[in-house]
């Protein structure tokens, strides 16, 4: 009995981030195009395809900012920490104190860490061989082990998928429940337990998630529908019909997804306007990353003339350990958080502008609030764009 215990403790320890090299035949999505071109195209438009440092302005500037403020760690060390979820096929999964000393002197150009970060294996971010090369997801590990620390990989060249009876001339296949009946388990490998450098957990989609008849992939890929998984024809010249899902991973960055994502009810009382936001989704909104924002903007009019504008921002604010406003990844604490809980409701009330005859209420979403956009000096208009959830026009 005793030796069994020891064995399980030892193997638990071993699950921590064992990098398995991805063979050249499989490492980039271009290699899958010959037979899965439709899937490659959908994925290529998704933000999973942009999760690498070089492809997402917001991610890149956050890393640079964290490295500038945190003088115990080098830029490469921060990049490797973030790669845990943003680039989980990275070959180096942690750095040592010796490495920090060398990096501080700029002598790390030929180090394994620098090479791993420059490798083209990770340049596509969360690509096919991140999800489809996972062998096991270790939900028995503590909640803070995520991304690369929560999975063990298949031998390179074996693709895990939803079908038990697939055959491919290019790669071996194996079926897994997290590709079929239990896909949330796959998403929670990374969409959970976001924690700052100070150990402050600023978002945890897994603990907030409410049981639902729908899974993440029903809403963020597509419902299962008839199609083909591979364009390769069999000996009879035919492709095989399958139940498939789309690979767009559409979410907060996609304007059309926000239309009616919340139910908006507006009521006029004697002197006040009451706005109720109802969230039918199984996770909070905003959720996901920590600086997202929902705006309630009210424009009061008398006839055609605008007499007053009001804005209410529903977002989270973070303070550093020195008590200054900061980005989520340096937060020591959250001072305010205003998201609409899963399958929950929040109501807001404000006095009606005197003399107004009409109010136009616009509820919208922004990827990054004013505070964090300014701290990081984000330039791309996508971060400040207001994506409309609903507009209500009320005549008094
Ligand atoms: C974030 C994880 C993730 C990434 C990245 C990903 N897939 Fe998938 N893929 C899935 C899941 C989950 C399913 C199972 C869908 C279902 O429930 O049937 C799936 C299904 C498939 C299938 C079966 C047919 C279908 O469309 O349902 C193929 C083939 C496939 N993926 C290929 C690819 C290729 C090629 C890439 C890279 C361009 C890729 N996948 C990237 C998660 C992913
Ligand atoms: C030469 C053609 C070809 C290439 C190249 C190819 N595949 Fe496939 N793949 C197939 C065929 C055929 C199937 C089986 C389809 C079916 O049964 O409907 C398949 C099935 C799959 C499945 C589903 C497996 C299951 O058991 O559910 C996944 C996932 C997958 N491929 C991923 C990839 C990835 C990732 C790449 C690129 C690294 C890739 N494939 C390259 C032909 C190919
Ligand atoms: C290996 C880690 C990982 C896994 C596994 C993963 N994701 Fe992601 N996902 C990310 C990261 C990191 C981003 C942010 C990329 C960026 O914006 O640069 C992201 C972005 C997204 C987005 C876009 C969010 C937005 O605001 O536009 C959606 C939707 C999404 N993921 C859904 C899923 C679903 C559904 C699954 C499960 C099938 C899944 N993800 C599995 C890490 C992961
Ligand atoms: C019933 C449908 C539904 C299910 C199930 C669902 N979502 Fe969402 N999710 C939405 C809608 C609607 C939005 C808001 C519009 C958008 O961003 O797509 C959203 C937003 C998001 C965002 C961006 C949020 C933000 O505020 O920045 C992420 C990331 C996300 N979902 C991930 C997930 C993951 C991971 C799961 C499973 C654990 C999941 N979702 C399950 C419907 C769903
Ligand atoms: C536990 C896994 C995990 C780790 C570790 C992680 N992230 Fe993320 N990150 C995610 C997921 C999942 C998303 C997508 C959520 C969404 O879009 O709403 C994301 C999204 C982001 C975004 C928003 C990107 C966009 O396009 O809007 C930024 C910025 C970001 N992460 C920065 C970082 C930094 C910096 C680090 C390292 C200090 C890091 N992340 C480490 C999981 C992780």
């Amino acid at each position: 009995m005793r030796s069994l215990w020891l064995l399980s403790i030892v193997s638990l320890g071993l699950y921590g981030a064992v990098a398995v090299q991805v063979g050249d035949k499989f490492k980039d999505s271009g290699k899958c195009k010959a037979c899965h071109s439709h899937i490659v195209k959908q994925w290529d438009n998704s933000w999973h395809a942009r999760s690498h440092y070089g492809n997402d302005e917001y991610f890149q500037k956050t890393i640079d900012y964290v490295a500038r403020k945190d003088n115990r760690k080098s830029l490469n060390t921060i990049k490797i920490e973030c790669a845990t979820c943003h680039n989980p096929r990275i070959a180096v999964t942690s750095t040592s104190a010796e490495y920090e000393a060398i990096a501080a002197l700029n002598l790390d150009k030929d180090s394994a860490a620098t090479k791993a970060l420059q490798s083209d294996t990770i340049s596509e971010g969360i690509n096919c061989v991140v999800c489809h090369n996972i062998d096991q997801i270790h939900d028995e590990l503590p909640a803070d082990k995520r991304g690369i620390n929560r999975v063990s990989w298949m031998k390179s060249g074996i693709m895990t998928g939803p079908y038990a009876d697939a055959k491919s001339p290019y790669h071996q296949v194996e079926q897994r429940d997290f590709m079929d009946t239990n896909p949330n388990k796959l998403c929670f490998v990374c969409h959970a337990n976001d924690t700052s450098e100070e150990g402050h957990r600023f978002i945890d989609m897994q603990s907030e998630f409410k049981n639902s008849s729908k899974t993440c992939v029903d809403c963020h890929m597509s419902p299962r529908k008839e199609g083909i998984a591979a364009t390769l024809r069999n000996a009879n010249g035919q492709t095989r019909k399958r139940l498939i899902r789309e690979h767009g991973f559409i979410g907060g960055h996609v304007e059309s997804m926000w239309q009616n994502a919340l139910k908006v009810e507006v009521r006029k009382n004697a002197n006040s306007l009451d706005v109720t936001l109802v969230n039918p989704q199984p996770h909070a909104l905003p959720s996901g990353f920590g600086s997202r924002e929902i705006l309630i903007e009210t424009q009061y009019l008398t006839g055609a003339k605008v007499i007053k504008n009001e804005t209410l921002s529903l977002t989270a604010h973070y303070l550093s350990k020195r008590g200054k406003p900061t980005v989520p990844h340096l937060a020591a604490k959250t001072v305010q958080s205003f998201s609409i809980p899963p399958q929950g409701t929040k109501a807001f009330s404000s006095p009606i502008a005197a003399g107004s005859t009409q109010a136009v209420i616009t509820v919208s979403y922004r990827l990054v609030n004013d505070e964090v956009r300014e701290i990081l000096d984000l330039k791309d208009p996508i971060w400040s764009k207001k994506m409309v959830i609903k507009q209500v026009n009320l005549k008094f």
Side-chain angles (χ1 to χ4, degrees):
M1 208 50 218
R2 201 157 154 226
S3 61
L4 256 180
W5 268 106
L6 264 176
L7 201 75
S8 69
I9 290 166
V10 169
S11 54
L12 219 86
L14 282 179
Y15 285 141
V18 179
V20 170
Q21 222 184 342
V22 187
D24 278 343
K25 262 180 82 183
F26 311 103
K27 71 180 178 194
D28 63 88
S29 60
K31 303 286 193 297
C32 321
K33 265 189 188 154
C35 306
H36 304 291
S37 60
H38 56 307
I39 297 177
V40 176
K41 216 159 136 194
Q42 291 159 1
W43 165 84
D44 200 35
N45 271 321
S46 78
W47 281 75
H48 280 151
R50 299 182 60 171
S51 70
H52 178 260
Y53 183 76
N55 302 333
D56 182 328
E57 183 197 12
Y58 185 18
F59 180 49
Q60 179 174 119
K61 286 191 168 163
T62 307
I63 290 190
D64 293 348
Y65 186 78
V66 171
R68 256 198 329 273
K69 293 276 166 182
D70 186 334
N71 42 30
R72 294 162 303 171
K73 291 181 186 165
S74 62
L75 177 62
N76 277 356
T77 294
I78 304 286
K79 283 186 182 173
I80 287 169
E81 281 178 12
C82 308
T84 305
C85 297
H86 284 254
N87 286 113
R89 294 318 299 254
I90 192 163
V92 169
T93 59
S94 64
T95 53
S96 61
E98 291 80 55
Y99 173 80
E100 291 298 3
I102 294 170
L105 298 170
N106 271 329
L107 294 173
D108 60 331
K109 290 210 171 47
D110 297 319
S111 68
T114 303
K115 286 201 182 118
L117 284 163
Q118 286 166 349
S119 156
D120 57 359
T121 304
I122 65 164
S123 64
E124 285 192 333
I126 300 164
N127 72 356
C128 322
V129 284
V130 170
C131 292
H132 289 293
N133 209 205
I134 295 176
D135 180 5
Q136 287 177 58
I137 296 172
H138 296 285
D139 279 346
E140 74 281 8
L141 289 176
D144 64 342
K145 297 270 180 263
R146 294 287 157 182
I148 195 171
N149 297 313
R150 204 169 185 79
V151 300
S152 35
W153 304 109
M154 280 285 183
K155 213 172 81 202
S156 177
I158 305 178
M159 301 299 157
T160 48
Y163 314 125
D165 60 347
K167 280 200 180 62
S168 159
Y170 193 75
H171 51 75
Q172 289 168 262
V173 295
E174 279 201 33
Q175 193 205 22
R176 287 290 179 274
D177 69 327
F178 56 79
M179 284 283 158
D180 184 20
T181 49
N182 192 7
N184 288 6
K185 186 170 169 167
L186 173 63
C187 313
F188 287 143
V189 166
C190 307
H191 287 263
N193 221 80
D194 294 63
T195 308
S196 76
E197 292 293 311
E198 304 301 328
H200 176 62
R201 195 176 74 180
F202 56 90
I203 294 282
D204 188 355
M205 202 177 253
Q206 183 162 17
S207 65
E208 79 188 23
F209 197 76
K210 282 255 171 28
N211 261 339
S212 159
S213 58
K214 291 201 172 152
T215 56
C216 315
V217 294
D218 286 317
C219 299
H220 293 288
M221 289 179 84
S222 71
R224 274 194 176 151
K225 56 185 184 185
E226 206 167 90
I228 50 165
T231 50
L232 191 72
R233 292 173 189 278
N234 62 19
N236 307 325
Q238 264 152 9
T239 50
R240 182 167 184 179
K241 280 212 177 70
R242 288 284 197 184
L243 288 179
I244 60 159
R245 295 188 199 271
E246 284 174 31
H247 274 69
F249 304 102
I250 39 176
H253 296 68
V254 180
E255 188 164 16
S256 59
M257 279 291 281
W258 282 101
Q259 256 170 45
N260 299 315
L262 295 169
K263 285 190 198 125
V264 180
E265 291 155 13
V266 183
R267 200 174 303 129
K268 179 186 176 292
N269 283 332
N271 300 311
S272 69
L273 207 59
D274 295 345
V275 179
T276 307
L277 302 184
V278 183
N279 178 8
Q281 319 305 344
H283 54 66
L285 286 177
S287 186
F289 196 60
S291 60
R292 312 292 196 213
E293 179 180 44
I294 285 174
L295 291 165
I296 306 178
E297 291 171 301
T298 310
Q299 187 173 62
Y300 290 101
L301 299 102
T302 304
K305 196 171 157 239
V306 178
I307 57 165
K308 195 176 178 191
N309 283 306
E310 264 178 8
T311 301
L312 184 64
S313 153
L314 310 180
T315 191
H317 294 284
Y318 303 96
L319 292 183
S320 69
K321 61 177 184 235
R322 293 200 178 78
K324 297 248 170 65
T326 192
V327 299
H329 276 286
L330 285 170
K333 68 173 182 184
T334 305
V335 270
Q336 190 193 57
S337 183
F338 264 134
S339 57
I340 323 294
Q343 290 154 16
T345 295
K346 272 204 177 162
F348 307 89
S349 179
S350 71
I352 293 176
S356 60
T357 57
Q358 187 184 345
V360 181
I361 300 98
T362 311
V363 179
S364 55
Y365 172 88
R366 265 201 303 207
L367 286 165
V368 194
N369 63 28
D370 288 340
E371 187 166 273
V372 171
R373 246 178 25 253
E374 260 164 49
I375 293 175
L376 296 176
D377 190 24
L378 297 181
K379 299 274 197 245
D380 193 316
I382 188 180
W383 312 118
S384 60
K385 184 167 188 187
K386 293 174 190 167
M387 306 189 227
V388 175
I389 298 172
K390 197 169 170 87
Q391 193 169 64
V392 179
N393 196 334
L394 203 69
K395 292 202 166 103
F396 307 144

